[in-house]
């Protein structure tokens, strides 16, 4: 039962991810990506990490993708307005994407061991445990991330200010 | 893995029945909210409202439904076909899903077996509601964009930026309650507020912020800029007709019902009322009390709509970002200090 | 400037204090006002008139769909003198006169009668000058509303729509109107 659900979700997420890359219209791409996020949230639920699943949906599907969609709808991108890239740009893009892929595969390869070990505790995704881990073992990265967000917020406010006097 | 092992045939049947009943009630309440809205609007304006279909016009929702279904279903030529069809459905679907985590009562005894009056007791119930309310934007955005009409697009953009902005303040005001109660589960939250020990007495500011935000989330007046007739001819559903339009309007009423239920559960004790044990009448007392509260809030929603004029868009954004969010953060700090001092 | 009533209020651009600035007090005040209206209608005090069942009475001076009267014996009073058409500021009335034949005395009171009498209801402004002009007390405006129609042609009312029936129950009572016109005429005479 669990395996069937996992496989269904996995297949859907792979298909929608591919569709997201190959879709002609940017708005369709974003919508496919949202579907991918939903399937990933489903995987989190299967791992009994309901909190992560919901936060994933709130943050990615509910906020970030909405902003993406927002901008795309306003820009109204289509085939006619998209500039044709030269062969050099295409090659550069392929190399950049390829190195990212290699990095990701390398990172995944290293992390498989850790993932297997963590599986023993099914309660790890719940709010209480997550909070405890975040505020004890990972408190420094957590606070640094907070400072990063604060900096981003201040920057956004600064950019949004009309009469900027430097 | 672990959650799926809990499923048994009886459990699934029980949940399916509960979901069906809940779905029927939600649709019924939403249908009669449209009637209530028109009737109350009339009363607030010294009129009588619909009174032709049946006694006092109580068959009006039926007549409206028949009208909606039999109208011509028009689709703009240049509209994005599938997304145009998908949008109202998505909006409706998200609206209907939210009711899953609301505890409608404690337990009902049907044919000797106890039935939990909650579809899913998620331990993150309140986050589930926030998540779904943030997904409600998609129906509006897709609908507005795929209509290929600038007024629809403007309406969609207004609606979505409004919903995102007010979600923040809403989340922050909910966090204060979560800090105080120490749980994210709506069931536990309701169970804690026995008798008259409601959260609203400890979180009056939080309640105010939450309520204003839920008005904005439901796109209700005074925050109904999204469908501002004078400027946008109807906003994101300008191009919609027939039952697709009906879905949009209907989902809005469902949202109103659900946010009333959430307000009642989080701040007003859910199914608790002093002197009325929710286990009375074989467990039916809880739902009765909760529904009384829900109907009161639906009335307040309508009352506000027919009293206060619409905000201007910049005023709305000022209110959201410069007043409500700082207030919500202040409320959060206050609650944190309180929790620290009184030890919960 | 001194105002004549005490209803107007001067607009001042004073700075709002804290309670005014948060609007909540004003909102609650407004909600109290609407609630009073709500409760009033709840207890049946609405100004609405449920039209097809309840009809508001017409004013005694209401001027609507014209009637061409018959006399006590059932003969048409109109003699096709054309004074109404001349008096009409909107030029809505046209008529064709004809001479009464032998044996038609029960149909037409005078020797001359209107074979065709038409009022264009789209032109008519329902001013009532035709009644005042009529020397034979033949035309009166009644409290009937001219119904709507799809085509312009339908608004040209001929004699079939204007002349009242012969039978007593089909007669149209214009006594109030008649009295009103008579008083107006007397007033005009005494003024002279």
């Amino acid at each position: 039962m669990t395996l069937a659900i996992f496989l269904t979700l996995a297949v859907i997420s792979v298909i929608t991810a591919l569709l997201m890359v190959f879709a002609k219209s940017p708005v369709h791409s974003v919508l496919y990506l949202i579907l991918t996020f939903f399937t990933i949230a489903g995987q989190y639920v299967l791992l009994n990490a309901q909190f992560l699943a919901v936060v994933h949906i709130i943050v990615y599907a509910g906020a970030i993708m909405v902003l993406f969609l927002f901008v795309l709808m306003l820009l109204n991108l289509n085939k006619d307005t998209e500039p044709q890239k030269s062969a050099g740009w295409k090659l550069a893009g392929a190399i950049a994407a390829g190195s990212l892929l290699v990095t990701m595969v390398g990172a995944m390869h290293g992390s498989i061991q850790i993932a297997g070990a963590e599986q023993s505790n099914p309660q790890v995704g719940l709010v209480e445990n997550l909070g405890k881990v975040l505020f004890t073992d990972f408190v420094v990265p957590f606070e640094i991330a907070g400072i990063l967000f604060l900096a981003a917020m201040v920057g956004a406010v600064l950019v949004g200010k009309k009469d900027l006097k430097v | 893995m672990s959650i799926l092992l809990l499923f048994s045939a009886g459990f699934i049947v029980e949940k399916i029945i509960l979901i069906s009943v809940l779905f029927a009630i939600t649709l019924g309440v939403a249908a009669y909210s449209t009637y209530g809205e028109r009737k109350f609007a009339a009363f607030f304006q010294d009129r009588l409202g619909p009174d032709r279909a049946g006694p006092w016009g109580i068959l009006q929702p039926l007549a409206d439904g028949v009208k909606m279904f039999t109208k011509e279903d028009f689709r703009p030529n240049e509209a994005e076909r599938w997304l145009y069809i998908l949008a109202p459905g998505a909006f409706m679907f998200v609206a209907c899903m939210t009711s899953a985590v609301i505890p409608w009562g404690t337990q009902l005894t049907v044919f000797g077996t106890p039935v939990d009056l909650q579809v899913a007791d998620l331990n993150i119930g309140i986050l589930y509601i926030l998540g779904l309310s943030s997904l409600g934007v998609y129906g509006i955005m897709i609908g507005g964009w795929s209509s290929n009409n600038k007024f629809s697009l403007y309406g969609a953009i207004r609606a979505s930026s409004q919903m995102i902005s007010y979600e923040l303040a809403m989340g922050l005001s909910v966090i204060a309650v979560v800090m105080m109660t120490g749980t994210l589960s709506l069931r536990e939250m309701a169970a804690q507020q026995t008798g008259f020990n409601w959260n609203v007495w400890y979180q009056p500011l939080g309640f105010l912020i939450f309520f204003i935000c839920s008005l904005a989330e439901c796109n209700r007046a005074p925050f109904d800029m999204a469908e501002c007739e004078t400027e946008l001819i109807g906003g994101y559903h300008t191009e919609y007709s027939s039952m697709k339009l009906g879905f949009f309007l209907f989902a809005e009423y469902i949202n109103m019902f659900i946010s009333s239920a959430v307000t009642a559960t989080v701040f007003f004790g859910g199914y608790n009322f002093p002197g009325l044990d929710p286990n009375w009448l074989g467990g039916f007392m809880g739902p009765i009390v909760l529904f009384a509260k829900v109907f009161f809030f639906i009335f307040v929603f309508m009352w506000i709509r027919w009293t206060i004029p619409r905000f201007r868009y910049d005023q709305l954004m000022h209110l959201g970002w410069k007043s409500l969010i700082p207030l919500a953060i202040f409320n959060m700090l206050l609650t944190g200090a309180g929790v620290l001092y009184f030890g919960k | 400037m001194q105002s004549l009533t005490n209803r107007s209020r001067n607009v001042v651009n004073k700075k709002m204090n804290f309670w005014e600035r948060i609007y909540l007090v004003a909102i609650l005040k407004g909600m109290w006002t609407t609630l009073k209206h709500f409760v009033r209608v709840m207890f049946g005090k609405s100004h609405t008139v449920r039209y097809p069942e309840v009809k508001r009475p017409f004013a005694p001076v209401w001027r609507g769909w014209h009637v061409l009267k018959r006399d006590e014996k059932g003969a048409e009073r109109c003699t096709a003198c054309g004074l109404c058409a001349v008096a009409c500021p909107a030029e809505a009335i046209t008529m064709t006169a004809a001479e009464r034949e032998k044996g038609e005395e029960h149909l037409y009171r005078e020797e001359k009668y209107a074979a065709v009498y038409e009022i264009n209801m789209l032109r008519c402004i329902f001013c009532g000058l035709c009644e005042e002009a009529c020397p034979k007390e033949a035309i009166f405006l009644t409290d009937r509303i001219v119904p709507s129609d799809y085509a312009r042609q339908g608004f040209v009312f001929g004699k079939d729509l204007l002349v009242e029936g012969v039978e007593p129950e089909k007669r149209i009572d214009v006594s109030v109107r008649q009295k009103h016109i008579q008083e107006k005429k007397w007033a005009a005479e005494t003024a002279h």
Side-chain angles (χ1 to χ4, degrees):
Chain A
M1 179 83 175
T2 316
L3 190 70
I5 293 174
F6 166 76
L7 282 178
T8 324
L9 285 175
V11 167
I12 294 173
S13 63
V14 169
I15 289 174
T16 49
L18 286 175
L19 280 171
M20 175 247 159
V21 176
F22 291 118
K24 286 241 167 64
S25 154
V27 173
H28 290 181
S29 275
V30 170
L31 293 176
Y32 284 128
L33 188 56
I34 294 162
L35 282 183
T36 317
F37 284 149
F38 274 115
T39 52
I40 291 172
Q43 305 282 24
Y44 280 133
V45 173
L46 282 186
L47 291 169
N48 208 18
Q50 298 164 8
F51 177 74
L52 280 184
V54 168
V55 166
H56 186 76
I57 285 179
I58 292 178
V59 173
Y60 286 99
I64 292 179
M65 281 299 125
V66 171
L67 295 179
F68 268 57
L69 207 57
F70 213 83
V71 174
L72 286 176
M73 282 177 179
L74 281 177
L75 290 178
N76 198 17
L77 291 174
N78 51 42
K79 251 188 178 167
D80 309 324
T81 54
E82 203 170 349
Q84 280 298 312
K85 307 277 192 322
S86 66
W89 276 109
K90 279 179 184 165
L91 187 70
I95 291 172
S99 14
L100 181 67
L101 183 71
V102 170
T103 318
M104 295 270 273
V105 168
M108 290 291 192
H109 189 70
S111 69
I112 286 166
Q113 297 284 321
I114 305 165
E118 294 257 340
Q119 196 63 39
S120 56
N121 184 4
Q123 301 294 313
V124 76
L126 299 185
V127 198
E128 227 176 318
N129 302 312
L130 202 73
K132 271 182 189 142
V133 170
L134 266 184
F135 282 100
T136 51
D137 296 350
F138 296 100
V139 69
V140 177
F142 180 74
E143 293 298 333
I144 288 173
I147 290 169
L148 194 70
F149 281 127
L150 188 68
M153 253 165 79
V154 170
V157 170
L158 210 63
V159 169
K161 274 254 186 220
K162 260 189 214 146
D163 39 355
L164 191 64
K165 290 196 183 66
V166 185
Chain B
M1 183 182 84
S2 48
I3 47 166
L4 293 176
L5 289 178
L6 297 172
F7 289 3
S8 67
F11 179 80
I12 289 172
V13 168
E14 180 191 313
K15 288 300 177 198
I16 286 174
I17 292 171
L18 188 61
I19 289 169
S20 320
V21 169
L22 201 56
F23 193 61
I25 290 175
T26 310
L27 292 187
V29 169
Y32 271 91
S33 299
T34 62
Y35 166 72
E37 176 102 271
R38 294 174 63 181
K39 205 78 185 166
F40 291 156
F43 283 6
F44 283 123
Q45 298 170 346
D46 287 352
R47 295 183 286 115
L48 289 175
D51 67 342
R52 296 286 134 171
W56 307 289
I58 53 166
L59 296 178
Q60 191 66 38
L62 208 69
D64 285 346
V66 170
K67 187 201 82 170
M68 280 290 185
F69 270 113
T70 50
K71 277 195 147 183
E72 186 193 354
D73 195 1
F74 179 80
R75 188 166 57 81
N77 214 11
E78 293 288 310
E80 190 93 8
R81 186 191 164 91
W82 291 112
L83 290 182
Y84 181 80
I85 297 169
L86 175 80
F91 196 45
M92 186 83 171
F93 178 71
V94 170
C96 289
M97 262 172 71
T98 323
S99 60
V101 291
I102 292 167
W104 300 99
T106 45
Q107 262 187 345
L108 212 61
T109 315
V110 184
F111 304 121
T113 48
V115 177
D116 278 342
L117 279 173
Q118 188 183 23
V119 176
D121 180 21
L122 293 184
N123 52 18
I124 37 114
I126 191 81
L127 287 179
Y128 173 84
I129 284 171
L130 287 178
L132 278 183
S133 74
S134 67
L135 289 181
V137 182
Y138 283 114
I140 292 175
M141 282 191 92
I142 295 172
W145 179 76
S146 63
S147 308
N148 197 27
N149 172 327
K150 65 178 166 195
F151 295 110
S152 300
L153 183 62
Y154 284 146
I157 284 170
R158 278 187 181 198
S160 42
S161 54
Q162 170 185 331
M163 284 168 92
I164 297 171
S165 309
Y166 278 77
E167 236 155 57
L168 290 173
M170 192 184 217
L172 289 174
S173 66
V174 166
I175 283 176
V177 178
V178 170
M179 282 162 74
M180 207 185 73
T181 55
T183 176
L184 286 166
S185 153
L186 282 175
R187 182 171 202 82
E188 277 175 43
M189 237 178 234
Q192 282 177 6
Q193 308 176 57
T194 46
F196 222 38
N197 189 26
W198 296 351
N199 282 339
V200 67
W201 311 129
Y202 309 101
Q203 290 284 344
L205 187 61
F207 162 67
L208 197 67
I209 295 166
F210 183 85
F211 191 68
I212 292 172
C213 292
S214 60
L215 279 177
E217 287 285 302
C218 295
N219 277 327
R220 299 273 310 173
F223 305 106
D224 59 344
M225 249 83 42
E227 41 193 280
C228 182
E229 309 90 349
T230 41
E231 298 154 34
L232 295 177
I233 354 169
Y236 56 89
H237 50 56
T238 300
E239 293 286 3
Y240 280 91
S241 53
S242 184
M243 204 53 205
K244 292 205 198 93
L245 173 70
F247 260 39
F248 271 123
L249 302 181
F250 212 65
E252 242 164 66
Y253 283 97
I254 295 177
N255 277 340
M256 191 164 91
F257 171 58
I258 300 297
S259 52
S260 300
V262 174
T263 315
T265 310
V266 174
F267 288 100
F268 283 83
Y271 45 73
N272 293 301
F273 197 84
L276 298 173
D277 188 341
N279 291 321
W280 285 356
L281 307 172
F284 271 112
M285 201 65 218
I288 290 172
V289 167
L290 183 60
F291 270 96
K293 289 174 187 174
V294 168
F295 290 140
F296 172 74
F297 278 110
I298 290 178
F299 175 74
V300 173
F301 266 67
M302 291 175 181
W303 185 6
I304 288 174
R305 172 166 180 186
W306 298 108
T307 302
I308 304 169
R310 202 177 270 140
F311 274 80
R312 215 170 52 213
Y313 202 70
D314 60 322
Q315 290 173 332
L316 169 98
M317 283 295 155
H318 275 286
L319 179 68
W321 287 97
K322 293 189 182 170
S323 308
L324 291 183
I325 291 181
L327 261 181
I329 292 174
F330 172 71
N331 184 43
M332 217 167 86
L333 286 175
L334 216 64
T335 313
V339 168
L340 209 62
Y341 187 74
F342 295 111
K344 235 158 100 175
Chain C
M1 199 179 75
Q2 179 87 42
S3 74
L4 295 174
T5 61
N6 55 358
R7 288 198 299 271
S8 68
R9 203 187 282 177
N10 281 331
V11 179
V12 280
N13 233 349
K14 81 168 178 65
K15 215 160 158 43
M16 287 191 286
N17 65 29
F18 175 73
W19 290 108
E20 284 167 339
R21 220 170 39 235
I22 60 169
Y23 289 120
L24 282 180
V25 181
I27 286 171
L28 289 179
K29 260 185 185 165
M31 287 175 72
W32 173 244
T33 306
T34 44
L35 187 69
K36 279 192 291 195
H37 284 260
F38 182 88
V39 172
R40 199 160 62 204
V41 182
M42 276 289 262
F43 290 103
K45 290 205 182 86
S46 163
H47 303 295
T48 309
V49 176
R50 288 159 205 258
Y51 168 62
E53 294 98 47
V54 185
K55 283 179 182 148
R56 294 176 70 184
F58 283 96
V61 291
W62 171 272
R63 298 187 294 263
W65 188 346
H66 315 64
V67 64
L68 287 174
K69 294 292 291 178
R70 292 175 188 275
D71 67 1
E72 315 76 60
K73 294 187 200 108
E76 283 177 28
R77 300 178 74 107
C78 179
T79 182
C81 63
L83 281 176
C84 48
V86 173
C88 183
E91 308 236 339
I93 305 176
T94 56
M95 67 188 76
T96 311
E99 218 166 306
R100 184 179 68 184
E101 305 282 321
K102 266 251 153 47
E104 289 183 335
E105 285 85 0
H106 66 289
L107 287 176
Y108 311 110
R109 200 170 69 160
E110 313 284 336
E111 280 130 34
K112 199 170 110 212
Y113 70 96
V116 178
Y117 191 103
E118 283 178 349
I119 301 179
N120 186 339
M121 290 300 179
L122 290 175
R123 296 194 70 114
C124 179
I125 56 169
F126 302 98
C127 61
L129 286 182
C130 45
E131 313 173 290
E132 285 180 41
C134 188
K136 295 292 180 188
E137 296 192 9
I139 187 165
F140 284 99
L141 274 67
T142 60
D143 58 359
R144 295 171 298 168
I145 296 169
V146 175
S148 52
D149 203 331
Y150 290 104
R152 281 165 178 268
Q153 208 48 50
F155 287 102
V156 179
F157 281 24
K159 273 178 82 174
D160 53 329
L161 290 170
L162 293 171
V163 182
E164 64 178 344
V166 185
E167 300 86 347
E169 69 273 12
K170 285 191 181 165
R171 295 298 184 92
I172 290 157
D173 180 35
V174 290
S175 49
V176 179
R177 192 78 199 142
Q178 223 162 359
K179 204 170 140 233
H180 181 74
I181 304 283
Q182 209 46 255
E183 277 165 7
K184 239 173 146 179
K185 281 183 179 170
W186 286 335
E189 272 167 30
T190 47
H192 276 289

